Amino acid sequence: MAFSLLLIVVLGATALFFATHLSIPEDRSQRVFAPDLVRRGGELAALGYCASCHTAENGKPFAGGRPLATPFGTLFGTNITPDPKTGIGLYSQAAFARTMRDGIDRAGRDLYPVFPYNHFTRLTDEDLSALYAFLMTRAAVPAQNPANHLTFPYNVRPLLAGWKLLYLDKNPVPRDQTRSAEWNRGRYLVEALSHCGACHTPRDRLGAEIASQHFDSGEAEDWWAPPLNHKFPSPVSWSEESLFNYLRSWDVGHGGAVGPMAPVVAALATVPEQDVRAIAAYVGATLAKPGESEKRVDEKQPQAAEAHPQGAELYAGICATCHETGGHVPFTVTSLGQHTSIYAPDPRNVIHVVLEGVRPPEGTVGAVMPAFADTLSDAQIADIAAYLRARFSRGGEWQNIEAEIARLRRSTSP
Amino acid sequence: MITLNVNGRSRDVDDAPNTPLLYVLRGTLELNGAKFGCGLGQCGACTVVIDGKPVFSCLTPISILQGRKITTLEGLGSEDAPSPLQRAFIEEQAAQCGYCIPGMIMRAHALLTANQSPTDAEIREHMNANLCRCGTHMRILAAINRAAGGMHAAGARAPAKAEEEE
Amino acid sequence: MNAPLFNPSRRDVLAGALVVSFSLRAIPSLAQEQENVSKPPLPGSLKKAPMLDAWIRIDADGSVTVFTGKCEIGQGVKTALIQVAAEELELDPHAIHLVTADTARAANEGFTSGSNSMKDSASAIRNAAAQVREILIGIAAERLGVAADRLRAQSGAIIGPDNRRAAYGDLVAGNVLHVTAQPTSKLKAPDTLKIIGQSLPRIDIPGKVTGGVSYVHDLRLPGMVHARVVRPPSYDARLQSIDTSDAEKMPGVIKVVRDGSFLGILAEREFQAVTAMHALAAAAKWDIATKLPDETNISSIIESLPAEDHVIADKHAESASATRTLQAVYRRPYQMHASIGPSCAVASFDGDALTVWSHAQGMFPLRQAIAEMLRLPEEKVRCIHMEGAGCYGHNGADDAAADAALLASALPGRPVRVQWMREQEHQWEPYGPAMVSRTRASLDAGGNIVDWWYEVRSNTHSTRPPGAGQLIAARHLETPFTPGPPRPGDQPEGAGDRNAVPLYVLSNVRVVHHFVPDMPLRVSALRGLGAYHNIFAIESFMDELAAAAGADAIEFRLRHLKDKRARAVITAAAERFGWSSWQAAKGKGRGFAFACYKNLAAFCAVAVEVNIEHESGHVRLGRAIAAVDSGQAVNPDGIANQIQGGIVQSASWTLYESVHFEPRRILSQDWSTYPILRFGTVPESVDVYVIDAPGEPFLGTGEAAQGPTAAAIANAVANATGVRIRDLPLNSARVKAAIGV
Ligand code: FES
Ligand code: FES
């Protein structure tokens, strides 16, 4: 606490010095773009999942309004359609580039790092202009979004200038000559555009990704975001191929994405295959555990049933209907033990799925799991979670599961 | 023996504890309302109301239902004395084959019990979990809207009735 | 559906006749004349069962029973048939008891399919009822000594001028109704009808919404046991070996039945049967032989398979010279019935005779197939129809009945109830065939069509019984039955070529049906048969031609139509929709389509509005408006209900649906792998305008909306995006790919 106060003071001082940025003049010119540039921009926007933060639930694409909860308060995804009043319609390419690279909007205000410019700052000029071309050719949607609710001192924007001094590394993504072109391509996409670290790397007190703990696991919308490196806790190992399948749709060994990762996979399904293969090559390499080959789920069923008889019975009566059929029900894997969430340090992901269920976008093929919020009590869900944990994971028991369930019920129920 | 509270009556059933409620309703208790559609929680044909909430009876083992209030289609009304919601379905002729309708009525019943005057958007959102293959959707929506209207007209009676059912 | 094999010469004659007369409705009568030249034909199914008491029975106590060989399949036919009988018998509809398809009681009316129930059964019942009424009046005239023309029928009695009355029950002594029907009847004049034309509430709905025994699924017989079958993982997989001992030891299990690759389990309670079925499935070892084609290029595979060519229209006349020619290819994937309730049947074998309760569409053909499969004489098998979940054609119902029959014959004395699991229904039902059509047409300088060329390629659209080989179980037996040769179906109704001949006035037209006998996937009748695809193709192409001619879609259609009733539904739908005043907007589109189902049944025009989300390509339905002419409308609300349902169902097929498969198996096994339309995206509104045609014959309606809806949506998507998509379904990915970034 003392430390962060001190920091704030230091930041405050530096801020006063740096925090004044000029606004960039309005650009009202007629913009024309090469169709190929726009198309590529669309692919890059999908690889960067712009829509997921900049689109509200059932809202117009890119019109913003999605609440993004952070430890510092709630921010709202902004309108990045070319609407002149409420969107970015008046942004020149220079203003757009400054926003993406320096986290400073056209008017000269510093932006919060929940907008991951710490990644985008490393995008190439070509990719930036493609993204600009794409966004500027979207339908302009007039949409005024709610103001952010941030607590002091985080609501003092100028402090962000100091934050940037401390954290904003603008160096391009380095090339590793010892690695394949595909791997390097993947590294660039992941670090500069797809910003996987924004969720999968832990953040410090001031919300910055901790570089020394790159991909060690993080947070996304109150879900646990697993490590993308050797710390990956599940015994079911990843290959480039299985990761590619997972990122593209669904993998027979690991199942499919749920929660905040689902829209990511939905977006990756629309981009050129080689981009996803490149991402799989880079992340697959960091995920691989040294000297590890295909590992099996090891079950401790009898002990688990003994320790959690209630959970075992509920599992047999409910979950097993689909999850004990050896993968015969579509989109179920042979064992729930293949799902990463069971190896997480906390039960949030399991709870989310049981409470909320899983549903693909209307009219598309994808896993369907009913929500059990109305069927099961907190105690019953806790029994199931404890049983699954004990049956499959060598990690310790989860603590205060029931309290977590109650908390998530409150935060997720409308 | 497990004791279930079905439509206000307590019923002892000797089915295995992991038996889904659907099979106990249809088999042991000889109630036709809840239907088997998928057994996977994907279609809602088996929907019943438990403690006021719509639930897929095909994925609900009776072992967890001790002491909980189960309402099935039969608990709303009978052919001679249909409930306002059932009457609304008859008045709108909201059925083709009708196989999905019991599940639709139960899901809608839970909604109207909690919210007497849902908007059309709220009804569509709430009903999204149940499938109809005959394309009777528009009439189902009309019936629910009609019942909601009826329940307003009926003033406080509707929720009171709903409570005594639960 | 099981018409004699196609005879080219006759089909050509008919096709010619069609184009000249601008309507195929002339043809059935023409066809009949060829069959029985001597005396005029009996109306509807009276042709098949001419005795009046096969249709109407009146007991001494005055109770009236009407018999139909058709089935209630959710289309509301029971109510309509009762209305027709009540009208001519001058009875309160509630005084009539209706018996539906039952091989022991009702006339053999074949299948309840092709939207033929009103044409076949209602025509028969209406004429029989009128003739019965006249017979009763005749008898009463003698009894009362009053001239027949001074007597009238009223609520169950014949009444004389002096109000003397003779109740129906007192007039039917002896077999007075056991007489042959006459070709013509004294039908009530259109302006005197009291019950026909009323939207009588359906008699089956109150029971269905309150938990009555409404479906074969709800049938509970004394001593009934529950069964499940274990199906192979793929079509031709054979059961290599299985150890059934574990399953046999499970609670409630009565026995395991195995015959070749047919595997079933019988238990006291339903969930016990389900649990044991899973154990049995896990224990089974299969040889998987099936090699399904590559889903991604299924249409070129269909086009590469050998085909029999049938020319179904070929007419050439002088016409203005062509100034431009358009051509296009339209494709439709395999799509499924996907009934919401998996198929179910109950069977009971007493050691000598078998009774089967089934929701299949044809009780007599089913009886024939089951008798053949069990090597029983037909008279030892009785098939009784009970409702199931909507089937929309030939789904798993017959196969489930066969399963029940086999399992019941293995456990004499105890009725056996079988219900399929969801996965079994999805994987084993016969799908609506994938189809491809190629079309080419030319316009003259005035923007009129001067020639029209259309070729459609399709599998059969009926693999129904009779023939034990049509039943899955029979093919899996130790000594298997093999299916009969696939049939192309026969014009004028057609199958793959149903509605392949446009109703439009065309001076030069050639239509060819390439019938493809080989069936890569199991297929059969799905609501509308080929009409769904052919109307999608023809009505999409009409819009493409209209655009090329710079004409309005409606005006262009009317320009090429003479048929008054066709023009009437088109004009009505366009007006109700507000076609001429419609305002365009970005991402918003309107579409129109029309067809006369089978070119001889109901006329239906559909107009829809869509909104397309550019970023995702998702198509959202706005308003849908339909106008329909079903001839003399017996129950207008019933007609509206069928059309509304047809529109929503066809929208689901058209936007989302295609069966997925890989070489070894069908992948569409449940609702997650075969998504359909949900409440979240059904249209804003669906309004249906029923145009009554008093005095006209009843025209089948059940399938009339499927094709027009598909084309109207495709046309609306083209209107909204400026891109024409000719492959179904019009799902988000396909639309997005078409409109680009
Ligand atoms: S039967 Fe329960 S959801 Fe389908
Ligand atoms: S009415 Fe038949 S499934 Fe809904």
Side-chain angles (χ1 to χ4, degrees), chain B residues 10-165:
Chain B
S10 80
R11 313 283 303 263
D12 295 338
V13 299
D14 60 356
D15 298 82
N18 70 335
T19 309
L21 175 62
L22 174 65
Y23 295 99
V24 176
L25 292 173
R26 294 191 57 83
T28 315
L29 301 180
E30 301 199 350
L31 296 170
N32 301 317
K35 299 284 193 273
F36 175 83
C38 68
L40 304 167
Q42 296 179 350
C43 76
C46 64
T47 306
V48 299
V49 171
I50 296 178
D51 296 334
K53 303 284 188 155
V55 162
F56 298 133
S57 64
C58 69
L59 288 182
T60 308
I62 54 175
S63 61
I64 66 167
L65 294 174
Q66 298 264 18
R68 296 177 68 178
K69 294 198 173 68
I70 302 161
T71 308
T72 72
L73 188 70
E74 293 83 354
L76 301 193
S78 65
E79 193 161 343
D80 312 327
S83 75
L85 183 55
Q86 288 167 318
R87 210 178 313 118
F89 271 74
I90 295 169
E91 283 158 352
E92 293 292 338
Q93 291 287 289
Q96 283 175 73
C97 78
Y99 195 90
C100 71
I101 298 298
M104 296 288 179
I105 293 179
M106 295 318 291
R107 182 165 297 278
H109 172 70
L111 173 67
L112 296 180
T113 306
N115 171 4
Q116 288 179 61
S117 43
T119 63
D120 187 59
E122 285 170 332
I123 297 175
R124 288 177 186 239
E125 166 69 30
H126 176 87
M127 298 303 293
N128 205 48
N130 284 35
L131 293 174
C132 172
R133 186 51 164 165
C134 293
T136 312
H137 302 71
M138 310 315 291
R139 286 175 181 237
I140 294 168
L141 293 172
I144 299 169
N145 274 308
R146 174 190 277 259
M151 288 192 182
H152 306 156
R157 279 216 334 284
K161 174 157 181 6
E163 269 145 33
E164 100 229 355
E165 280 159 10

Side-chain angles (χ1 to χ4, degrees), chain A residues 109-186:
Chain A
R109 294 179 315 150
D110 288 287
L111 301 175
Y112 290 93
V114 62
F115 167 55
Y117 50 82
N118 57 313
H119 293 270
F120 301 151
T121 191
R122 312 170 106 186
L123 283 166
T124 63
D125 296 349
E126 305 71 57
D127 287 353
L128 270 184
S129 33
L131 280 164
Y132 181 71
F134 172 73
L135 289 173
M136 287 305 176
T137 48
R138 298 309 88 196
V141 181
Q144 197 61 59
N145 293 310
N148 303 330
H149 323 305
L150 290 164
T151 52
F152 182 82
Y154 309 107
N155 52 1
V156 184
R157 276 189 186 266
L159 293 178
L160 289 161
W163 187 93
K164 291 176 192 171
L165 265 188
L166 287 171
Y167 298 112
L168 192 57
D169 166 9
K170 302 176 71 170
N171 298 316
V173 178
R175 282 195 71 77
D176 180 342
Q177 300 307 343
T178 69
R179 302 280 200 160
S180 70
E182 185 180 50
W183 182 93
N184 278 290
R185 169 80 181 141

Side-chain angles (χ1 to χ4, degrees), chain C residues 464-597:
Chain C
R464 295 179 185 270
Q470 308 296 11
L471 303 168
I472 294 171
R475 294 185 213 164
H476 290 161
L477 298 175
E478 191 59 55
T479 38
F481 292 82
T482 48
R487 302 266 176 99
D490 206 20
Q491 284 289 326
E493 297 210 343
D497 56 350
R498 180 167 293 180
N499 279 95
V501 179
L503 198 64
Y504 298 106
V505 182
L506 304 164
S507 41
N508 292 287
V509 59
R510 180 175 170 86
V511 179
V512 183
H513 176 203
H514 302 289
F515 172 67
V516 180
D518 304 4
M519 289 171 274
L521 269 63
R522 186 183 188 217
V523 295
S524 193
L526 172 61
R527 196 176 188 180
L529 312 192
Y532 169 72
H533 170 84
N534 291 320
I535 296 167
F536 157 69
I538 290 172
E539 288 292 288
S540 296
F541 199 52
M542 281 300 281
D543 261 39
E544 297 193 52
L545 288 164
D552 170 77
I554 308 265
E555 185 277 319
F556 187 75
R557 282 173 172 79
L558 292 174
R559 188 190 291 184
H560 293 91
L561 262 182
K562 284 248 168 56
D563 187 298
K564 283 194 182 49
R565 294 169 76 179
R567 298 177 63 94
V569 291
I570 289 176
T571 320
E575 276 170 11
R576 305 284 189 162
F577 181 83
W579 188 263
S580 44
S581 57
W582 188 81
Q583 295 300 331
K586 200 169 185 315
K588 193 166 152 224
R590 63 175 178 177
F592 195 91
F594 152 83
C596 170
Y597 184 54

Side-chain angles (χ1 to χ4, degrees), chain C residues 122 269 304-305 347 391 403 416 504 524 564 572 581 590 632 647 704:
Chain C
R269 298 187 182 193
S304 69
L305 290 171
C391 60
D403 295 340
V416 176
Y504 298 106
S524 193
K564 283 194 182 49
S581 57
R590 63 175 178 177
Q632 173 93 53
I647 288 173

